[in-house]
Amino acid sequence: MIDKSPEYRFKKALGVSMMLLLVAFAALPTLWALILSVRSPSAVFEPIWESPLALTLENFFNITRSDFPKALLNSFITAGSATVLAMIIGVPAGFALAKSRVSGKFIASWVLLLLRMAPPVGFVIPLFLLYVNAGLIDTYLGLIVAYMTLTLPLVVWSMWNSFAQVPDELIEAALMDDATLTQAFLLIVLPAARPGAVAAAILAFLVAWNDFFFSLIITRSSTTTAPVAVMNFISFDSVDWASIAVASIALTLPILPLMAIANRYIVQSLSGAVKG
Amino acid sequence: MTLTSTKRLGATYELQRGYRRMIYPAVIAVGIFAIVPLAGMFALAFSDYHLLRGTNWQFGFKNFARLLSDQRLMNSIYVMSILSFFGVATQVIIGTAVAVGLQKIVGRWRFGRILFLVPYAVPHVAVALIWLSLFTPTLSPINAFFDLFGITVPSFLTTQGGAMFAIVMADTWTNFPFAMLIILAALQGISPDLDEAAAIDGATRVKTFFFITLPLLMPALLMVTLFRFIDSLKHFPMIFVITKGGPGRSTQATNFYAYVQTFQNSNVAYGAAIAVTLFLMAALISFYVARLNQRVSQ
């Protein structure tokens, strides 16, 4: 079926140009941020074709002298801790929900979904008042607890999906061989569900890393995370666009490899069938 | 035989206890980290708590009565609806288009998938800042480009419509890959035989897409739409960074309005009442999603 008619060629060209348009839409803003990050501060407001060589790496050095690296470290500490804690608590729970016959599973799945969908402003108001009174404003602990509201439901939900795909026979066989449930879980089931667990950890880290709202409300200067610290480059009368571009790249770079690993599992963890 | 069945019965009881022990930590943690704040939000919504004045311990429906006659709330719901509708619609359309395009060339161009995923990896604050720069006339390469032809691109962020357009663009850019991923997975589950059969019956590609592929994609499309819709009720960083709710108060979506009332006007109780309203909307939709999920899995 090789069709070389003009009509076919026209349609083919139409399809290809539409795809190119979509590629441009996806790629150009990123390219723009990359360009902005290497523009000389004096040439930022000139069109790139007027001074294409006004490039510099100075912006990258400048940002190391600001508070931003500290904020990046804060982001790593808080998002990392919230992920590890959510995995420790959430993975066994996901396993039990997938394989046991405990009642109330539908309610559990609804509560988990609800928590993932509830507006953060609802959590943050009572947390803020609590933290003000408990002295938890601007502490790692306070922020990690807040992030747990994001990461824990996500981990339980997506591990529930992952474990549901592990065959029951695997567990039964282990139990028949006199393994305890804990042994069967740790030695047999968990290794079988490892890709799903890696994906769950990555997704949990992503939501915590991405957070802006919690950090904006419950941190001040010492534990503020990178997404909020970027805003410091916008002052009342001027905007340091080059630093913003560098900071945006710094915020994205740790995520890219994680996204490349986890993208296949994003679908699974969101819409995968929960066995009711 | 009796031996094994006795053993299995005994094991079942032991098992259920073991399973419960695995669930309890999560139940307790979810209770502390999530349910307690939620209960706090409801309690505050019925109270008269003010960040500066404190509380007189008077509880009632006062805040909810006020919601009904609040013009700013009505405007916020209007803004939220517009942002959600146009944002989700463009994300689903672009996501589907990219997924269909990628499906056709998937073997030859693995890199394409990663390329389209990059916007999804950019944290929302960075997305908002990048698009803010693109909508800043003195800086934007778009404005500079059109200036070459003597065309002055209007400043989008000075009108309500333009500001909402800017937010929708930023939101679409970062979230269409999510739609793409789910649609792509659904497309890969559709048998290529169907396309061939339709081609043999003389259907054009366009017809095949609309009458065969699209109906099969419906569950996935519904899923994406619902997930994105619920997420879009939570719009915050985009508005905070790109428009700050302006010009004036014209782009304060409901979530943002709750923030303004609580943390800028110090009106905690009223902010909580708005949050409760938003929460109930999300609860209703997520109940529907959970039911849908259960039905799909059966």
Side-chain angles (χ1 to χ4, degrees):
Chain A
M1 285 222 314
I2 300 167
D3 186 353
K4 294 269 184 198
S5 68
E7 198 200 337
Y8 173 82
R9 286 189 179 180
F10 172 73
K11 278 184 182 164
K12 184 101 189 164
L14 200 71
V16 169
S17 45
M18 257 188 65
M19 207 58 194
L20 284 178
L21 210 66
L22 291 171
V23 170
F25 174 68
L28 286 184
T30 319
L31 185 66
W32 164 241
L34 290 174
I35 291 174
L36 209 48
S37 72
V38 292
R39 290 290 269 168
S40 307
S42 60
V44 161
F45 288 98
E46 289 169 21
I48 181 81
W49 48 86
E50 269 175 30
S51 48
L53 293 177
L55 306 177
T56 172
L57 289 177
E58 194 187 319
N59 304 323
F60 286 83
F61 295 110
N62 280 341
I63 206 164
T64 58
R65 286 193 292 271
S66 71
D67 291 336
F68 192 72
K70 172 90 194 317
L72 269 179
L73 184 69
N74 289 339
S75 273
F76 270 111
I77 292 171
T78 52
S81 312
T83 305
V84 171
L85 287 172
M87 289 297 282
I88 292 171
I89 301 172
V91 173
F95 169 67
L97 283 167
K99 291 301 174 195
S100 75
R101 270 174 266 135
V102 292
S103 53
K105 280 207 226 174
F106 177 71
I107 294 178
S109 79
W110 183 44
V111 168
L112 289 173
L113 250 184
L114 193 57
L115 291 176
R116 281 183 60 190
M117 292 171 171
V121 70
F123 291 111
V124 101
I125 298 171
L127 278 183
F128 175 75
L129 296 178
L130 192 72
Y131 284 11
V132 168
N133 291 311
L136 284 171
I137 292 285
D138 205 15
T139 60
Y140 284 133
L141 179 66
L143 199 55
I144 291 167
V145 167
Y147 285 169
M148 289 286 283
T149 67
L150 302 172
T151 55
L152 186 59
L154 194 147
V155 167
V156 177
W157 173 268
S158 57
M159 286 319 290
W160 185 345
N161 284 328
S162 296
F163 285 126
Q165 283 153 15
V166 176
D168 288 349
E169 291 76 21
L170 210 61
I171 307 161
E172 276 163 23
L175 294 174
M176 279 297 165
D177 288 344
D178 283 329
T180 64
L181 185 64
T182 315
Q183 284 168 339
F185 168 65
L186 288 177
L187 301 175
I188 310 288
V189 186
L190 198 53
R194 202 168 60 184
V198 170
I202 289 177
L203 290 179
F205 185 79
L206 290 187
V207 280
W209 180 265
N210 223 327
D211 166 74
F212 176 71
F213 194 55
F214 282 114
S215 180
L216 179 74
I217 306 286
I218 61 182
T219 68
R220 301 292 175 259
S221 57
S222 71
T223 62
T224 199
T225 60
V228 175
V230 185
M231 299 302 286
N232 292 340
F233 296 118
I234 300 178
S235 65
F236 188 69
D237 51 356
S238 73
V239 181
D240 183 357
W241 285 110
S243 296
I244 284 176
V246 175
S248 299
I249 291 166
L251 265 171
T252 310
L253 276 183
I255 304 300
L256 278 178
L258 297 179
M259 191 65 91
I261 299 168
N263 74 73
R264 274 154 220 290
Y265 297 96
I266 289 173
V267 180
Q268 219 174 302
S269 67
L270 286 172
S271 57
V274 171
K275 301 261 178 339
Chain B
M1 185 225 143
T2 39
L3 189 75
T4 40
S5 63
T6 325
K7 189 173 174 186
R8 287 195 71 174
L9 268 179
T12 315
Y13 176 74
E14 281 292 304
L15 269 187
Q16 294 309 319
R17 227 175 52 180
Y19 280 130
R20 276 198 207 100
R21 245 183 249 138
M22 289 177 160
I23 296 179
Y24 287 147
V27 170
I28 293 166
V30 166
I32 294 172
F33 298 145
I35 309 291
V36 166
L38 281 181
M41 170 183 72
F42 274 90
L44 283 169
F46 287 99
S47 77
D48 59 347
Y49 196 91
H50 188 280
L51 212 49
L52 308 175
R53 289 197 296 268
T55 176
N56 294 321
W57 300 104
Q58 288 181 342
F59 291 89
F61 287 89
K62 211 181 77 211
N63 298 313
F64 291 96
R66 186 178 152 194
L67 282 177
L68 295 174
S69 58
D70 186 349
Q71 277 309 310
R72 288 177 69 186
L73 179 78
M74 295 307 146
N75 179 58
S76 81
I77 292 175
Y78 164 75
V79 171
M80 181 175 73
S81 312
I82 298 277
L83 291 180
S84 296
F85 177 79
F86 286 103
V88 174
T90 45
Q91 283 154 35
V92 171
I93 292 169
I94 293 183
T96 310
V98 173
V100 170
L102 279 182
Q103 165 81 349
K104 293 243 155 38
I105 52 176
V106 75
R108 275 175 282 171
W109 203 39
R110 277 282 154 85
F111 177 69
R113 194 187 163 99
I114 302 291
L115 180 96
F116 282 110
L117 270 175
V118 170
Y120 193 54
V122 182
H124 282 178
V125 175
V127 172
L129 286 164
I130 292 171
W131 283 88
L132 175 64
S133 75
L134 289 171
F135 282 107
T136 302
T138 49
L139 179 71
S140 172
I142 302 169
N143 290 65
F145 180 74
F146 281 103
D147 272 346
L148 290 178
F149 307 102
I151 302 167
T152 308
V153 177
S155 179
F156 281 90
L157 299 181
T158 53
T159 63
Q160 185 190 25
M164 286 202 276
F165 174 76
I167 295 167
V168 167
M169 284 299 282
D171 187 36
T172 299
W173 183 71
T174 185
N175 281 314
F176 84 86
F178 170 78
M180 176 197 83
L181 279 176
I182 291 188
I183 309 280
L184 201 56
L187 276 175
Q188 278 157 359
I190 296 176
S191 160
D193 298 350
L194 282 173
D195 275 13
E196 274 175 37
I200 289 167
D201 286 344
T204 62
R205 281 239 188 114
V206 178
K207 272 193 177 163
T208 313
F209 177 75
F210 280 103
F211 292 107
I212 294 181
T213 314
L214 208 55
L216 287 170
L217 283 181
M218 269 308 160
L221 287 171
L222 186 65
M223 212 61 180
V224 172
T225 306
L226 283 171
F227 267 98
R228 284 304 316 141
F229 179 70
I230 293 164
D231 255 4
S232 73
L233 301 181
K234 301 194 261 185
H235 260 307
F236 187 82
M238 305 288 177
I239 299 176
F240 186 88
V241 173
I242 299 179
T243 71
K244 292 221 179 301
R249 294 165 174 172
S250 63
T251 55
Q252 292 182 347
T254 309
N255 189 37
F256 192 86
Y257 179 50
Y259 160 81
V260 170
Q261 282 290 2
T262 308
F263 295 103
Q264 287 180 7
N265 301 354
S266 305
N267 212 334
V268 176
Y270 191 54
I274 301 167
V276 164
T277 313
L278 205 58
F279 177 79
L280 292 178
M281 288 168 68
L284 213 66
I285 302 165
S286 64
F287 183 72
Y288 180 61
V289 175
R291 279 249 314 267
L292 198 78
N293 218 354
Q294 205 184 31
R295 208 175 315 149
V296 168
S297 73
Q298 274 166 2

